[in-house]
Amino acid sequence: MSREQIIHSVLIVAVSAVITALLRGLPFVIFSANKTPKFVLFLGKYLPFAVIGMLVVYCLKDASFTAMPFALPELIAIAAVALIHLWKRNTLLSVAGGTVFYMLLVQFVFK
C-alpha cells in the first residue's frame, strides 16, 4: 500500500469517526431534557420495535417454507431468541445467543 493510500484511508476513518460522534452527540446538544419534541419521544418509544421487526423480516426473506428443511433452522432460532429473552431480559444476549444457535443448527444439524 502506498503512502497516499494509507493517508487516504486514515482520513476516511477520521472523517467517519467525527461525523458519527457528531450525529450521536447532536441530540443532546439540541434537545434539553424538558424540551424534547413529542415526535422524537414517539420515535424513541416505537422505533426499536420497528427495527427488530424489520430484522426478523430480513432474516426470513430467503427462508424456504415449501422445501426441506421448511425454514426449521430459522424458526427454531427465533424460538430460541424469544426464550432467551424471556429468561434473561437482555436483548444483546438474546440476539447473540439466537445467532450462535442458528449457526450451530445450519452447520451441524441441518446440513
Side-chain angles (χ1 to χ4, degrees):
M1 211 191 243
S2 71
R3 184 171 184 243
E4 291 83 19
Q5 289 174 323
I6 293 172
I7 292 172
H8 186 257
S9 297
V10 169
L11 287 174
I12 289 174
V13 170
V15 169
S16 298
V18 168
I19 289 173
T20 301
L22 286 175
L23 289 175
R24 295 200 179 188
L26 198 59
F28 295 103
V29 174
I30 293 174
F31 306 120
S32 63
N34 57 358
K35 295 181 184 178
T36 304
K38 288 183 180 182
F39 181 68
V40 174
L41 293 174
F42 174 82
L43 288 177
K45 184 176 182 180
Y46 294 106
L47 200 56
F49 300 109
V51 169
I52 294 296
M54 289 298 292
L55 286 173
V56 170
V57 169
Y58 178 77
C59 290
L60 292 177
K61 72 176 176 53
D62 293 327
S64 175
F65 292 92
T66 59
M68 278 300 286
F70 303 108
L72 280 177
E74 291 86 353
L75 296 174
I76 293 169
I78 289 171
V81 169
L83 291 173
I84 293 169
H85 190 71
L86 288 172
W87 175 42
K88 288 294 186 178
R89 301 277 184 208
N90 184 323
T91 305
L92 184 62
L93 180 65
S94 303
V95 172
T99 301
V100 169
F101 190 63
Y102 173 76
M103 293 310 296
L104 291 172
L105 285 173
V106 297
Q107 293 296 320
F108 299 113
V109 179
F110 294 96
K111 290 190 214 182

